Amino acid sequence: MVVKVNELTMQEQLGMTSHHPRWAIAFKFKARQATTQLRSVEFQVGRTGAVTPVAKLDPVFLGGVTVSSISAHNEEYIREKDLKIGDHVLIERAGDVIPQIVKSLTELRTGNEKSIEFPKTCPVCNSLLFKEETEAVWRCINIECEAQVVEKIIHFVSKDAMDIKSFGDANVRKFYELGILKDIPGIYQLPFETIGTIEGFGKKSIDNLQAAIEGSMQQPLHRLIYGLGIRFVGETTAKTLANAVENIFDFISKTEEDLLILEDVGVKVAKSIHEFFKNEQNIKMLQALEQIGLQLKNIKKESTGKDSLGGQTFLFTGTLAQLKRSDAEAMVEANGGKIVTGVSSKLNYLIVGDDAGSKLEKAKKINTIKIISEVEFLQLIEQNN
Ligand SMILES: [Zn+2]
């Protein structure tokens, strides 16, 4: 349940953080609990190489969903919770989000429980795992580790990064297994004829995928930086970084001290960014992306400083009744929106005037595009001012 302030002027005064409005808050229900048995532990490798133990449980119904696996975070967590394979465990979903293990019910032990052995080598590529003194997490530091490569590509195409719709985890894994996608630049060199022969790929889904990939080439620099998956660089930091340079390659010559001047960038973050741009392979990847035609420059948008449309994209079609087309487009840009030239999954709003033609038909097929009238467009501008 979400509790909101319903007075619009108060909403405006309260404003937003970079993540959520201050005038709305989730009302969390009391945790719901259940007991089940821990059957095994699997070790998964994430995109930063972190090895995470995942507890596999006897499926149990909890707060509306069936839970059969839960992250056991790290070695220390397992020790603190005193978890053993075969244990009865108490689990809960607080506020109906991610389930957690509360504790093991040690009084129910039979003596047949087995302790959880943490691997010394990566479960995917077999190289030795490392742990920094200040960290609780074991990592695979082999940058060619298959698991990390796949997770990095998944992160790059994800919604908050390059937002390549209709790509998704499953396709990344499938293309990787088939050997037709090996790294991030490979996203832009997919052999679509080959993909056409894969079961489940019709002409329409290939067209959509191709359009989404092409559309992503013009994503703003901050999305690309976030998509690179540099450790400790979240969306907000990625925006700060994008605004600090004219071109992504400017980071190569920046020292940790240079980076520390930036807002939100502490020692840990500066070190991580510096390391990323010191790595030759990373630079080669960026050069490959540049050659393919991705946007690696920071296009500073010309606007009145207003950003109420938050970089969303607009396209007009047909004859407008009240506004001149050029005036309408200027209104979009003055409010921090962007005008695009064609209908693709990158488009957020299509404003439809009289006698609209093929653009409208095309937009109807992409269900993420909001199709609105001129009047609705004017209301949208007004609401945001
Ligand atoms: Zn590995």
Side-chain angles (χ1 to χ4, degrees), residues 45 49 51 121-129 139-148:
V45 190
V51 177
T121 56
C122 173
V124 176
C125 74
N126 258 322
S127 49
L128 269 182
L129 298 180
R139 276 175 209 284
C140 169
I141 56 167
N142 170 16
I143 52 165
E144 281 168 14
C145 174
E146 214 173 277
Q148 295 175 56

Side-chain angles (χ1 to χ4, degrees), residues 6 59 98 126 153 201 211 262 286 353 359 385:
N6 69 349
I98 304 158
N126 258 322
I153 299 172
F201 279 92
L262 303 173
L286 290 171
K359 282 178 183 162
N385 278 295

Side-chain angles (χ1 to χ4, degrees), residues 70-254:
I70 289 188
S71 170
H73 304 286
N74 57 56
E75 207 178 14
E76 260 167 52
Y77 181 91
I78 290 172
R79 206 179 310 128
E80 267 167 35
K81 301 270 177 190
D82 185 20
L83 301 178
K84 284 190 156 103
I85 290 163
D87 265 347
H88 290 264
V89 289
L90 179 65
I91 65 170
E92 72 174 20
R93 288 178 77 206
D96 275 342
V97 278
I98 304 158
Q100 298 284 346
I101 296 172
V102 182
K103 60 176 181 181
S104 59
L105 305 170
T106 50
E107 61 276 19
L108 295 176
R109 280 185 182 163
T110 61
N112 291 328
E113 293 75 18
K114 291 195 184 74
S115 50
I116 297 163
E117 297 295 335
F118 221 86
K120 294 275 176 287
T121 56
C122 173
V124 176
C125 74
N126 258 322
S127 49
L128 269 182
L129 298 180
F130 281 88
K131 188 167 86 160
E132 279 180 52
E133 267 175 47
T134 52
E135 277 202 318
V137 179
W138 285 92
R139 276 175 209 284
C140 169
I141 56 167
N142 170 16
I143 52 165
E144 281 168 14
C145 174
E146 214 173 277
Q148 295 175 56
V149 172
V150 169
E151 295 301 326
K152 279 199 175 97
I153 299 172
I154 289 172
H155 176 72
F156 191 83
V157 303
S158 69
K159 186 167 166 288
D160 294 334
M162 297 299 270
D163 193 20
I164 307 184
K165 293 203 173 65
S166 67
F167 211 128
D169 301 19
N171 284 340
V172 173
R173 286 183 211 284
K174 189 178 279 171
F175 297 161
Y176 188 86
E177 276 165 28
L178 291 169
I180 55 177
L181 175 63
K182 293 191 174 76
D183 51 21
I184 289 172
I187 295 166
Y188 298 93
Q189 295 154 337
L190 284 174
F192 286 103
E193 320 78 62
T194 313
I195 294 171
T197 63
I198 303 172
E199 211 190 307
F201 279 92
K203 190 181 175 308
K204 199 182 160 208
S205 58
I206 292 181
D207 285 350
N208 287 344
L209 183 60
Q210 204 163 2
I213 291 170
E214 270 165 33
S216 78
M217 290 169 68
Q218 292 309 312
Q219 287 286 30
L221 184 60
H222 68 87
R223 281 183 170 270
L224 183 111
I225 292 177
Y226 176 68
L228 295 174
I230 306 168
R231 275 185 74 200
F232 312 121
V233 175
E235 285 173 84
T236 309
T237 310
K239 280 185 186 152
T240 308
L241 292 176
N243 282 324
V245 291
E246 279 174 18
N247 187 302
I248 197 162
F249 296 106
D250 296 350
F251 283 112
I252 298 172
S253 57
K254 287 205 186 293

Side-chain angles (χ1 to χ4, degrees), residues 1-20:
M1 187 157 77
V2 177
V3 182
K4 292 181 180 176
V5 173
N6 69 349
E7 171 70 50
L8 292 175
T9 51
M10 283 174 84
Q11 284 189 2
E12 206 163 285
Q13 282 170 12
L14 285 159
M16 309 262 295
T17 71
S18 62
H19 299 286
H20 53 80

